[in-house]
Amino acid sequence: MCIRDRSRMELLLLSLILITGPTLAEPLRMQPIGAYCVGYGGDASASNATACAETTPFLWRGLLHVAEHHSAFRIRRQALPGCEHSPGGCVNDMVVAMVPGTTGISFVSAIVTDAPETLWLFGTNDDALGAQPRTQVHTFWSTDLISWNTTMVLQLPHSGSPPKPPSWDSKSWTGFNTSPARGVLNGTDVFVLAIELGSPAALIGTRFTSVFAICEQCARTGDLSAGWTILDPTSHIYRRDRYSACPTLRYFNGYFYLVTLYEGVPNPKGAHCNSDSSTWDQCLAEHIVRSKDLMVWEESPYGGNQTILMGLPDGKDLSGPDHRIIPGSLLDQFGTPAEKNYTQSQTDDINRSDMDMVTLASGETYVVWLSGNQGVGSGGNPAGGASVAGMVKGTEQEWLESYFE
């Protein structure tokens, strides 16, 4: 190409950039690996490969642990993918068979603070515990995973009758998943707790959505057991117009990043999320937004309101990662033939929900979620799913920020 032609070409490319704008780089992608546990049912106090359910990964004294189970929380070591090739082998030992006081408390979330290193677990009440079910937030904390303390940190509004399924319209608030994070709000250091609400309809619109509580003194003292207040839920709320459940909250460089579960996500491979489900028309998958003030929410330029963070469920594709068993995992080591067969043969997988994550010492992000049918079996499949893991080649911050660069 001659100099004159090359100059014309450069001018043409510059004109295209000015007209269309710069091309976006691809965000970091999560690579699914496989299942490490059957997600539902079983005895939470046993060292079996069932009942992991909602799982929160965290580092404790440099090692990967998980807090898990829908209720009666347990804590154990979690083997990393590839552990079968490492000198230390694959360790999935139970550390705490049941955290004291967590019977009747569900939807565990976790955060580790320092000075001294302290694990804080949060959950909402299944049982009445002096008020309506699903109207309290409790915390459990320990500095050694041996001795534990507990208290209720929030009593949600609980007037009126409890909801009667399938109607979720109640004057009482109903709280489900929570997610804690430390950040800066309006120039003040705070801890923030995202709280998933299923009612009242007059406040939240379409169930589910997230509201937020903050604690300023927690940031000053490191004590997360007192000082929480709920921000005005009429302004500090994620959205009211569509199902957006299971919040995961993080804070980086002036922004709160919120990952929630969307319902009604189409799968181009086929109807019913390309599955044998007769209950769900489309997929449930994770969406990401961010906000500086927990009031105004920014969508990602990589798909806007339809941005999906972690890909789609396998559906009836039994070769997909939701159906693979991770070598050296709890399921691989201790799973029964029935548990393994269930994981590998489920054909109504429409769900990637309840995600959480932690940045490893390697600088990679370890991600977990629930697969399955959201507890409603169809197409010959029993109710349930699996606890599944994936990896991101980057930190949590790098991963989340990449969807807005």
Side-chain angles (χ1 to χ4, degrees):
M1 180 184 294
C2 72
I3 298 297
R4 180 180 299 172
D5 290 338
R6 189 172 67 186
S7 297
R8 288 174 179 171
M9 183 62 70
E10 290 171 348
L11 287 172
L12 177 59
L13 290 173
L14 179 59
S15 299
L16 288 172
I17 291 172
L18 291 174
I19 293 170
T20 63
T23 301
L24 292 172
E26 278 292 305
L28 296 175
R29 301 295 185 183
M30 188 271 298
Q31 179 61 50
I33 299 169
Y36 59 86
C37 186
V38 177
Y40 304 94
D43 179 5
S45 65
S47 299
N48 55 23
T50 64
C52 294
E54 290 87 0
T55 300
T56 300
F58 61 93
L59 295 184
W60 182 257
R61 297 177 182 171
L63 299 174
L64 179 63
H65 289 64
V66 288
E68 60 189 9
H69 197 247
H70 175 73
S71 184
F73 307 150
R74 68 186 187 189
I75 296 172
R76 61 176 180 81
R77 289 276 305 277
Q78 178 87 320
L80 282 167
C83 61
E84 68 274 22
H85 305 301
S86 66
C90 301
V91 180
N92 295 288
D93 295 348
M94 193 68 67
V95 178
V96 182
M98 186 176 73
V99 175
T102 59
T103 300
I105 305 295
S106 59
F107 300 107
V108 65
S109 62
I111 190 170
V112 176
T113 59
D114 54 16
E117 185 177 29
T118 305
L119 173 64
W120 299 84
L121 306 179
F122 291 86
T124 51
N125 62 314
D126 280 331
D127 299 336
L129 301 178
Q132 302 281 14
R134 312 248 59 80
T135 64
Q136 297 173 347
V137 180
H138 292 249
T139 190
F140 306 83
W141 70 99
S142 176
T143 57
D144 56 11
L145 307 189
I146 299 172
S147 299
W148 290 87
N149 300 281
T150 180
T151 190
M152 181 179 70
V153 293
L154 284 169
Q155 172 65 67
L156 307 178
H158 57 101
S159 61
S161 301
K164 296 178 180 180
S167 173
W168 291 83
D169 188 8
S170 168
K171 291 182 180 179
S172 174
W173 287 27
T174 48
F176 294 85
N177 289 278
T178 63
S179 183
R182 184 168 187 168
V184 178
L185 185 64
N186 300 324
T188 301
D189 288 339
V190 294
F191 277 88
V192 178
L193 191 69
I195 305 170
E196 176 190 5
L197 287 189
S199 66
L203 172 64
I204 70 168
T206 302
R207 71 175 181 107
F208 296 88
T209 193
S210 296
V211 295
F212 305 92
I214 64 167
C215 182
E216 294 185 12
Q217 76 177 47
C218 297
R220 293 194 300 268
T221 65
D223 179 4
L224 278 59
S225 67
W228 291 91
T229 57
I230 298 171
L231 294 173
D232 181 354
T234 64
S235 56
H236 297 79
I237 189 169
Y238 171 39
R239 65 188 307 156
R240 298 180 174 89
D241 61 335
R242 71 174 295 173
Y243 181 111
S244 52
C246 313
T248 301
L249 187 69
R250 295 292 188 270
Y251 178 87
F252 302 112
N253 283 339
Y255 286 95
F256 290 95
Y257 290 82
L258 184 68
V259 180
T260 61
L261 180 69
Y262 264 10
E263 185 182 51
V265 178
N267 187 333
K269 293 182 179 180
H272 302 281
C273 197
N274 191 40
S275 81
D276 290 336
S277 174
S278 59
T279 303
W280 299 91
D281 292 331
Q282 299 188 74
C283 305
L284 292 97
E286 301 282 3
H287 178 67
I288 183 171
V289 292
R290 70 179 184 179
S291 174
K292 290 183 176 181
D293 57 10
L294 303 176
M295 294 188 291
V296 178
W297 297 93
E298 177 187 353
E299 298 283 0
S300 166
Y302 301 96
N305 188 38
Q306 304 303 318
T307 301
I308 298 301
L309 182 67
M310 296 165 43
L312 299 178
D314 288 347
K316 58 187 175 185
D317 178 7
L318 301 184
S319 67
D322 291 350
H323 294 84
R324 292 197 295 263
I325 297 173
I326 301 175
S329 66
L330 184 72
L331 181 56
D332 182 44
Q333 288 184 335
F334 301 106
T336 65
E339 291 166 346
K340 294 178 181 180
N341 179 68
Y342 173 73
T343 300
Q344 294 169 324
S345 62
Q346 185 179 27
T347 61
D348 64 345
D349 176 26
I350 49 79
N351 184 61
R352 280 192 179 176
S353 72
D354 297 273
M355 75 84 69
D356 216 319
M357 55 190 162
V358 66
T359 300
L360 303 174
S362 64
E364 298 173 294
T365 297
Y366 182 77
V367 187
V368 298
W369 66 91
L370 277 174
S371 69
N373 51 35
Q374 277 279 332
V376 183
S378 61
N381 298 274
S387 297
V388 192
M391 297 287 286
V392 179
K393 291 190 178 300
T395 65
E396 294 168 78
Q397 179 174 355
E398 290 168 340
W399 185 31
L400 300 183
E401 287 182 343
S402 75
Y403 275 82
F404 294 86
E405 293 175 345

